[in-house]
Amino acid sequence: MKYISTRGNYDKVEASEAIRLGMVPTGGLFVPEEIPRLSEETIYSMENSSYQEIAYNVLTKFLTDYTDEELQEAIASAYNTTNFSTEKITPLYKLDDESYILELWHGPTAAFKDLALQIMPYLLAQAIEKKETDKDILILVATSGDTGKAALEGFRNVDGIKIIVFYPDEGVSEIQKRQMVTTTGDNTAVVAVNGNFDDCQNSVKGIFGDQDFKKIIANKGYQFSSANSINWGRLVPQIIYYFAAYAELLKKDEIKRGEKINITVPTGNFGNILASYYAYRMGLPINRFICASNDNKVLTEFFKTGVYDKNRDFKKTISPSMDILISSNLERFLFEITGHNDRKIDTWYRQLKEEGKFEIDEEVKDKIDELFVGEYATEAEIKKTIKRVYRQDKYLIDPHTAVGVNVYNKYVKNYNNKVATVIDATANPYKFSATVLSAIDDSSIINEMTKFDILKELSEESGTEIHSGLKGLTDREVKHEFKCQVDEIKDMIQQIL
Ligand SMILES: *Cc1c(COP(=O)(O)O)cnc(C)c1O
């Protein structure tokens, strides 16, 4: 299978080439030329498959220029109980009669990004081997907090690859920052940027299209790639866990074969929810996609009105990994839903660049309405949801997952549609322990506590274990202290190399 550009401006490439390049060098994103289907028989048989087997079923359909041995090696190296705290990799927790929390935080960095970033380094290393270039790969990452650490862990000490992560200095949680700046490995660098996530992501995307800078980097012996969800290698592994979730529902007799389920995803860059849409197009029975946002509700308004308008204030929230106004992967979704109309995509994204907004036409809007609903949760609602779920179910959720749960509850109320629903838990609650503790325990005096005390207190209060990736975090040595302005990112890269 070949990969094409959402903007019709590049020749078809193999999967490994799409992964190696990260994004289309002339602008746009790589998408599969057609979406492979899995037969009903294959989907139902997953009930008796391991996560690794399901992973193979999905990846082999998309990554057609990788050998079976390569895929099996990557899967075995990524999805095992050394990296993940459970054999199931992404277990389901039954919250109530029809909603199920898909725990995507059992990996080393405690957020769902691990599901892709544990395997992607193998896929990229194999892609480099196929190409036989003399250049090392330089991975540039813009992060709203979780991708950065997950990518650093995945790519740390991988031969032939150097990774530089840019994060918004004031836009990530204390624990996220600490996780990143304490990363070891001689091929890693971390930079605090004086700006927000969109500033970081725009700069990095701009650098990929900057031919002069590409030459400068080439002279130093490097070529660019991306570990953000603009890279197909980030997205394709995320399709796997939607099949795994359906398989587990079948196995536990929660649903019948062929029964349609809803999917609720706390969304930022639109990568995770897009992966569920690809699963649907591959044959997974899905009724509705519920796109959950925080106060940066640009997607909620898009699904309600058909207008994507990023001209608004950027809000810093207690679900910082979703503080995003430009959801990059919406471009891939619009390309798919318009039946690969690259001219429309090119026009809309030109408008987005020039005017900060675009409006889709009625016909496309109607098609989207059949499948997608957008809603958002306010800061107060997020906290209330964490508290309610904890009090009612004795179950701890992080603020991002709480956005999902809150929006799902609104959906049930508004649509009166009670269908088995999978809600993505995108981070472990300990990753945002200050917010979670203050939400469940009004009496705790968070401001006077150290990060370590907060983790401990949350553990004592809830009777649950601190995520293993977060234990001992406060004792680790700070290794990265680079800081720069948004317009100094290129200089910074040269300085680091
Ligand atoms: C990245 C992230 C999100 C947003 O996911 P997208 O794929 O960007 O939509 C939500 N929650 C958490 C905890 C994240 O790390």
Side-chain angles (χ1 to χ4, degrees):
M1 178 190 307
K2 295 284 191 351
Y3 286 76
I4 54 178
S5 168
T6 48
R7 302 193 194 170
N9 55 358
Y10 205 71
D11 288 341
K12 292 175 191 179
V13 299
E14 297 284 356
S16 63
E17 184 73 351
I19 291 173
R20 193 178 61 82
L21 289 170
M23 73 177 271
V24 180
T26 44
L29 302 175
F30 285 114
V31 284
E33 195 172 23
E34 72 237 30
I35 301 172
R37 299 274 305 178
L38 291 178
S39 69
E40 285 180 8
E41 207 184 332
T42 306
I43 294 172
Y44 301 152
S45 73
M46 289 177 178
E47 190 180 331
N48 301 311
S49 302
S50 64
Y51 192 89
Q52 295 76 6
E53 287 163 342
I54 298 173
Y56 178 77
N57 272 322
V58 172
L59 297 183
T60 191
K61 290 281 184 187
F62 284 105
L63 307 181
T64 48
D65 69 322
Y66 286 74
T67 64
D68 276 356
E69 291 72 37
E70 285 172 329
L71 291 182
Q72 297 288 15
E73 189 210 330
I75 290 167
S77 313
Y79 304 129
N80 55 53
T81 48
T82 309
N83 295 331
F84 290 83
S85 59
T86 153
E87 222 166 85
K88 281 195 175 149
I89 309 295
T90 59
L92 268 184
Y93 173 87
K94 185 167 181 171
L95 193 61
D96 56 35
D97 280 350
E98 76 288 326
S99 63
Y100 306 82
I101 303 278
L102 182 59
E103 294 179 349
L104 300 174
W105 44 254
H106 288 273
T109 76
F112 84 88
K113 307 293 199 292
D114 287 327
L115 272 314
L117 284 163
Q118 282 298 311
I119 192 165
M120 195 188 145
Y122 297 97
L123 301 177
L124 185 57
Q126 290 161 350
I128 299 167
E129 260 171 47
K130 290 181 198 297
K131 185 76 183 178
E132 292 172 356
T133 66
D134 55 347
K135 295 208 168 39
D136 281 357
I137 293 271
L138 173 62
I139 296 186
L140 301 179
V141 179
T143 184
S144 57
D146 291 328
T147 292
K149 181 59 179 178
L152 288 163
E153 278 309 303
F155 286 104
R156 190 163 55 97
N157 297 333
V158 176
D159 282 346
I161 294 178
K162 194 168 184 73
I163 172 168
I164 309 178
V165 170
F166 298 93
Y167 72 91
D169 199 9
E170 308 272 301
V172 299
S173 83
E174 280 292 317
I175 288 180
Q176 288 176 316
K177 185 179 290 191
R178 187 89 198 163
Q179 279 185 304
M180 288 189 277
V181 298
T182 56
T183 306
T184 56
D186 49 19
N187 63 336
T188 62
V190 180
V191 183
V193 177
N194 187 12
N196 63 36
F197 171 72
D198 285 325
D199 296 330
C200 297
Q201 173 160 263
N202 275 342
S203 290
V204 168
K205 271 184 166 177
I207 287 171
F208 284 122
D210 184 333
Q211 299 308 321
D212 293 337
F213 195 59
K214 216 172 264 181
K215 279 189 204 125
I216 296 176
I217 296 302
N219 283 335
K220 293 184 188 276
Y222 290 98
Q223 55 180 327
F224 290 126
S225 190
S226 165
N228 281 99
S229 54
I230 53 176
N231 191 323
W232 181 253
R234 256 292 295 281
L235 262 170
V236 68
Q238 295 182 199
I239 300 171
I240 300 163
Y241 46 76
Y242 292 103
F243 283 99
Y246 194 86
E248 195 174 336
L249 287 172
L250 278 179
K251 195 179 176 80
K252 289 184 171 158
D253 272 335
E254 299 287 335
I255 56 169
K256 295 192 184 59
R257 291 183 166 195
E259 189 173 328
K260 289 184 176 178
I261 62 169
N262 288 339
I263 304 282
T264 303
V265 186
T267 297
N269 227 358
F270 210 74
N272 206 0
I273 195 166
L274 179 72
S276 72
Y277 175 75
Y278 276 112
Y280 162 76
R281 293 284 303 269
M282 291 177 80
L284 194 67
I286 295 177
N287 171 56
R288 268 237 159 74
F289 301 86
I290 302 163
C291 177
S293 300
N294 64 19
D295 270 332
N296 293 296
K297 50 184 193 288
V298 62
L299 283 168
T300 306
E301 287 172 16
F302 172 72
F303 285 114
K304 286 190 196 300
T305 65
V307 179
Y308 193 96
D309 186 356
K310 75 167 183 79
N311 301 312
R312 65 185 72 217
D313 286 341
F314 184 96
K315 301 208 170 119
K316 269 194 264 173
T317 73
I318 53 173
S319 49
S321 304
M322 296 161 61
D323 290 348
I324 293 174
L325 294 179
I326 303 173
S327 303
S328 301
N329 278 297
L330 187 69
E331 175 168 345
R332 282 191 169 109
F333 172 65
L334 292 173
F335 184 73
E336 297 295 356
I337 203 100
T338 57
H340 291 191
N341 193 328
D342 49 30
R343 273 177 320 181
K344 269 188 188 168
I345 305 303
D346 194 51
T347 308
W348 290 336
Y349 278 82
R350 210 174 292 239
Q351 286 168 352
L352 184 67
K353 191 163 183 203
E354 283 158 16
E355 298 152 40
K357 65 176 188 175
F358 63 84
E359 178 167 15
I360 57 171
D361 43 275
E362 277 298 308
E363 191 195 328
V364 178
K365 172 89 171 55
D366 290 345
K367 262 191 167 164
I368 295 177
D369 285 347
E370 286 169 23
L371 290 171
F372 278 72
V373 176
E375 262 302 340
Y376 76 105
T378 64
E379 298 288 273
E381 286 171 337
I382 295 171
K383 287 197 167 184
K384 256 168 76 183
T385 305
I386 294 172
K387 184 171 180 172
R388 183 183 58 74
V389 171
Y390 179 64
R391 291 277 136 87
Q392 269 176 16
D393 309 296
K394 274 278 163 203
Y395 185 68
L396 275 185
I397 54 174
D398 97 292
H400 304 80
T401 309
V403 171
V405 172
N406 179 271
V407 162
Y408 167 68
N409 292 334
K410 285 177 181 149
Y411 171 81
V412 171
K413 227 174 169 178
N414 293 343
Y415 287 76
N416 200 14
N417 175 277
K418 285 216 164 194
V419 173
T421 298
V422 168
I423 304 170
D424 284 2
T426 49
N428 179 270
Y430 283 95
K431 197 157 193 181
F432 301 91
S433 47
T435 302
V436 174
L437 185 61
S438 69
I440 64 169
D441 181 1
D442 312 313
S443 65
S444 59
I445 326 157
I446 302 278
N447 290 340
E448 289 164 24
M449 295 166 80
T450 66
K451 277 168 272 182
F452 180 72
D453 288 340
I454 294 174
L455 287 170
K456 223 173 101 197
E457 172 75 21
L458 187 60
S459 177
E460 278 165 15
E461 157 72 38
S462 67
T464 59
E465 278 244 9
I466 300 174
H467 190 289
S468 61
L470 305 173
K471 279 184 196 157
L473 198 56
T474 38
D475 305 331
R476 279 178 224 155
E477 191 192 335
V478 173
K479 301 263 186 196
H480 308 275
E481 292 181 294
F482 290 124
K483 273 183 201 292
C484 77
Q485 304 295 327
V486 177
D487 59 6
E488 292 167 352
I489 287 182
K490 276 195 217 167
D491 297 338
M492 198 57 169
I493 295 169
Q494 294 197 60
Q495 190 187 324
I496 290 167
L497 294 181

